Amino acid sequence: MGLRIVLETVFGRDDSGTIVEECRRCGTSREPDGVSCPTCGCDGVARYRIE
């Protein structure tokens, strides 16, 4: 068994969730390929995995 598989099993990594991206400054939902927030222009992105 590969090291990656062992680590994913131990730490419970699961890639089956939905990724949500929001602006760190104002909370506006963002597109994954967006460069900056369309509302406030901030470049900071918060990513959340929803399972």
Side-chain angles (χ1 to χ4, degrees):
M1 192 180 296
L3 180 59
R4 180 179 176 172
I5 294 170
V6 171
L7 291 175
E8 288 175 354
T9 302
V10 170
F11 292 106
R13 181 175 174 182
D14 183 10
D15 291 333
S16 64
T18 300
I19 303 294
V20 176
E21 293 190 0
E22 295 180 342
C23 172
R24 286 194 183 273
R25 182 182 296 159
C26 71
T28 299
S29 295
R30 297 181 46 171
E31 293 297 321
D33 297 333
V35 176
S36 62
C37 176
T39 303
C40 70
C42 178
D43 292 334
V45 178
R47 289 181 183 86
Y48 305 99
R49 179 181 305 250
I50 300 173
E51 297 181 18

